[in-house]
């Protein structure tokens, strides 16, 4: 298993911050160009939290042997040769995918995590499970920043009937040096239709980080960030806050029954053309890829 160093532990009361950006900021940087955006740790790293509940059954799950629920794509050559191609990523059978909750009119209509209603159990708690950090699937996180090392995770989800959505919620960890309320960060959410490629169900490739079904790059609404009140708990009792990223749509969308993929990520603003950051060398970039794509933070790294 790979480990990420804990750079900071931010503790906030449950507060809401409305985040807005200009149209140019929202749409910039999502198209693939085969070149890095930022390659910096100046603003920390955004890691999506996973869920451990299976609203439509346990097949598929995080293990690729079941078909898998995790997919990843990148636009920075530092990650490897398969640039701008959706790839399966092997996790644990206990991981349903990235934590995702959908609402319509205040009613929870899809939930693979239980964070909002407090039914998450011990999924994020190594101490309660009596397991080592490295053996606790709920402690692992998925790196997603579309213009910083240009890498995004997406998760499989299935709707068994036509579904109207007015609010989408993802969850993330901010202990890797990231300030959730930084004016230099913006958030994105995307939903892709699914397509079968060589026997694998993958998100439809749009030539960008934008989803073909839904994308906050093109859809009006309001993001808010709050502390979920749920923590990741390590075997020694050390805790990390799980933050809640909510997007309220200006107008609800209706999705047909079917199989989809969802992602949320953070991006740095303004874009590289107008903002100079200290880069890190190519050797460090490769090390980043080896360490931090799927990361587990352990208290001994504090």
């Amino acid at each position: 298993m790979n480990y990420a160093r804990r750079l900071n532990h931010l503790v906030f009361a449950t507060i809401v911050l409305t985040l807005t950006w200009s149209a140019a900021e929202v749409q910039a940087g999502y198209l693939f160009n085969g070149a890095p955006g930022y390659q910096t740790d100046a603003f920390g790293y955004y890691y999506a939290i996973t869920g451990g509940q299976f609203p439509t059954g346990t097949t598929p799950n995080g293990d690729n042997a079941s078909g898998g629920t995790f997919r990843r794509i990148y636009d920075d050559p530092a990650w490897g040769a398969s640039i701008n191609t959706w790839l399966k990523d092997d996790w644990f059978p206990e991981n349903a995918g990235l934590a995702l909750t959908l609402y319509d009119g205040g009613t929870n209509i899809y939930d693979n995590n239980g964070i909002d209603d407090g039914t998450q159990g011990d999924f994020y708690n190594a101490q309660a499970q009596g397991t080592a950090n490295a053996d606790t699937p709920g402690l692992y996180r998925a790196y997603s920043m579309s213009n910083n090392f240009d890498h995004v995770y997406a998760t499989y989800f299935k709707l068994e009937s036509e579904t109207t959505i007015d609010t989408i919620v993802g969850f993330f960890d901010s202990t890797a040096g990231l300030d959730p309320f930084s004016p230099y960060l913006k958030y994105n959410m995307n939903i892709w239709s699914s397509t079968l490629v060589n026997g694998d169900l993958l998100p439809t490739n749009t030539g960008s980080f934008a989803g073909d079904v839904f994308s906050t790059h093109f859809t009006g609404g309001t993001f808010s960030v709050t502390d979920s009140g749920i923590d990741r708990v390590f075997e020694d009792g050390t805790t990390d806050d799980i933050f809640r990223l909510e997007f309220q749509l200006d107008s609800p969308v209706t999705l047909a029954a079917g199989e989809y993929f969802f992602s949320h990520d953070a991006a740095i603003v303004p874009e590289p053309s107008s903002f100079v950051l200290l880069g890190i060398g190519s050797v460090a970039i490769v090390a980043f890829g080896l360490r931090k794509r799927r990361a587990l933070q352990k208290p001994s790294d504090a």
Side-chain angles (χ1 to χ4, degrees):
M1 300 298 176
N2 295 324
Y3 297 95
R5 178 170 298 277
R6 184 169 75 178
L7 301 179
N8 192 16
H9 186 188
L10 305 175
V11 180
F12 292 94
T14 302
I15 55 177
V16 177
L17 177 69
T18 298
L19 305 164
T20 58
W21 303 277
S22 70
E25 287 173 332
V26 169
Q27 295 190 32
Y30 69 91
L31 295 172
F32 294 156
N33 63 6
Y38 293 111
Q39 294 175 327
T40 181
D41 61 0
F43 300 107
Y45 303 120
Y46 184 90
Y47 284 102
I49 297 294
T50 70
Q53 298 183 3
F54 295 86
T56 55
T58 56
T59 302
N61 57 55
D63 188 339
N64 278 350
S66 72
T69 52
F70 292 93
R71 306 292 186 264
R72 54 186 288 253
I73 197 165
Y74 49 86
D75 189 42
D76 186 331
W79 292 102
S82 300
I83 193 169
N84 300 338
T85 302
W86 282 106
L87 305 170
K88 294 174 67 175
D89 202 57
D90 197 35
W91 287 54
F92 301 91
E94 294 85 357
N95 294 116
L98 304 182
L100 168 64
T101 307
L102 303 175
Y103 289 90
D104 181 35
T107 300
N108 184 326
I109 54 176
Y110 181 92
D111 186 357
N112 69 357
N113 57 87
I115 293 175
D116 274 359
D117 63 12
T119 63
Q120 79 287 342
D122 295 331
F123 183 68
Y124 305 104
N125 193 324
Q127 189 174 58
Q129 291 182 36
T131 55
N133 296 339
D135 298 326
T136 309
L139 295 185
Y140 284 84
R141 308 158 298 164
Y143 179 75
S144 287
M145 294 190 79
S146 53
N147 73 348
N148 188 32
F149 294 98
D150 302 13
H151 182 288
V152 163
Y153 266 99
T155 190
Y156 168 92
F157 72 101
K158 182 179 181 180
L159 299 177
E160 296 188 304
S161 60
E162 184 178 86
T163 302
T164 298
I165 301 164
D166 63 17
T167 304
I168 305 173
V169 181
F171 300 86
F172 69 97
D173 173 81
S174 70
T175 58
L178 182 135
D179 174 2
F181 309 110
S182 170
Y184 297 108
L185 294 176
K186 70 181 182 72
Y187 297 106
N188 306 303
M189 287 186 176
N190 293 282
I191 296 175
W192 291 266
S193 60
S194 60
T195 184
L196 202 61
V197 179
N198 297 324
D200 291 327
L201 196 66
L202 301 173
T204 298
N205 195 325
T206 63
S208 73
F209 288 112
D212 62 322
V213 173
F214 166 86
S215 177
T216 54
H217 291 291
F218 313 114
T219 304
T222 302
F223 275 107
S224 61
V225 176
T226 61
D227 187 330
S228 72
I230 303 299
D231 295 335
R232 294 160 67 237
V233 183
F234 297 91
E235 58 186 301
D236 69 349
T238 302
T239 62
D240 286 340
D241 298 332
I242 295 175
F243 279 83
R244 185 178 188 274
L245 178 67
E246 176 180 297
F247 184 73
Q248 293 186 339
L249 288 77
D250 287 345
S251 300
V253 298
T254 299
L255 303 183
E259 295 171 297
Y260 298 91
F261 288 89
F262 164 77
S263 79
H264 57 100
D265 75 276
I268 298 170
V269 291
E271 288 297 305
S273 60
S274 59
F275 191 48
V276 177
L277 287 174
L278 293 176
I280 61 178
S282 59
V283 173
I285 293 168
V286 173
F288 176 94
L290 294 175
R291 290 198 317 271
K292 296 188 175 181
R293 174 169 54 84
R294 182 178 74 174
L296 169 67
Q297 173 189 320
K298 55 180 180 178
S300 59
D301 283 338

